[in-house]
């Protein structure tokens, strides 16, 4: 993977500042979901329309809850129970740390060429204690 960095993302929870033209690296979108965290990886040339969602954090939470319900994924109750807080723009320091840990792990896997989940798949995790 080339060493060129072509995308800058700032606090996806409150708005993004992105430069995605000719992107050559995956974009990791982290989310503070109050009682846990989530991340969506967008591969180069795919899914960039996600960045235009008016409330990407809320959209991602609803998307993940719906995905879990449709596929009967266990362990998603914490996220469903967090939706009201997410709609009310509540944030949590522990959830931000959990998101940071997730992103570090995803980035490390990308760096060494391991397979990663990418949109429409995603990562989610209850807050780490």
């Amino acid at each position: 993977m080339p060493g060129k960095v072509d995308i800058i993302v700032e606090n996806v929870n409150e708005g993004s500042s992105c430069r995605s033209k000719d992107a050559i690296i995956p974009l990791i979108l982290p989310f503070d979901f109050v009682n846990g965290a989530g991340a969506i990886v967008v591969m180069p040339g795919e899914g960039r329309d996600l960045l235009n969602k008016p409330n990407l954090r809320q959209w991602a939470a609803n998307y993940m809850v719906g995905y879990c319900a449709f596929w009967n994924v266990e362990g998603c109750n914490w996220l469903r129970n967090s939706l009201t807080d997410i709609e009310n723009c509540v944030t949590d320091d522990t959830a931000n740390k959990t998101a940071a840990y997730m992103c570090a792990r995803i980035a490390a896997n990308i760096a060494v060429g391991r397979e990663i989940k990418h949109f429409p798949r995603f990562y989610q995790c209850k807050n780490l204690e």
Side-chain angles (χ1 to χ4, degrees):
M1 184 146 308
K4 180 181 172 191
V5 175
D6 194 38
I7 300 172
I8 300 168
V9 177
E10 300 171 355
N11 197 350
V12 173
N13 292 330
E14 296 176 18
S16 299
S17 172
C18 303
R19 193 175 75 236
S20 61
K21 183 179 178 190
D22 301 324
I24 58 170
I25 61 171
L27 174 62
I28 304 170
L29 303 172
F31 301 99
D32 162 352
F33 289 147
V34 186
N35 295 306
I40 294 175
V41 178
V42 181
M43 300 305 285
E46 298 178 5
R48 300 292 175 174
D49 57 326
L50 288 178
L51 302 174
N52 297 323
K53 300 280 184 199
N55 187 336
L56 185 55
R57 178 183 182 224
Q58 186 174 342
W59 177 88
N62 285 311
Y63 171 76
M64 291 179 190
V65 166
Y67 184 101
C68 289
F70 182 82
W71 293 106
N72 295 316
V73 177
E74 293 184 24
C76 297
N77 290 339
W78 67 267
L79 182 54
R80 187 175 53 251
N81 295 337
S82 301
L83 288 177
T84 300
D85 285 338
I86 294 166
E87 290 170 7
N88 291 321
C89 300
V90 174
T91 61
D92 182 83
D93 288 340
T94 303
N96 278 311
K97 289 177 187 174
T98 302
Y101 293 140
M102 291 171 68
C103 289
R105 181 66 182 247
I106 294 165
N109 285 334
I110 291 169
V112 298
R114 288 192 184 116
E115 186 173 330
I116 57 165
K117 292 189 238 179
H118 56 88
F119 187 76
R121 295 169 60 208
F122 53 85
Y123 296 86
Q124 67 174 356
C125 179
K126 278 181 74 170
N127 281 338
L128 306 172
E129 299 297 325

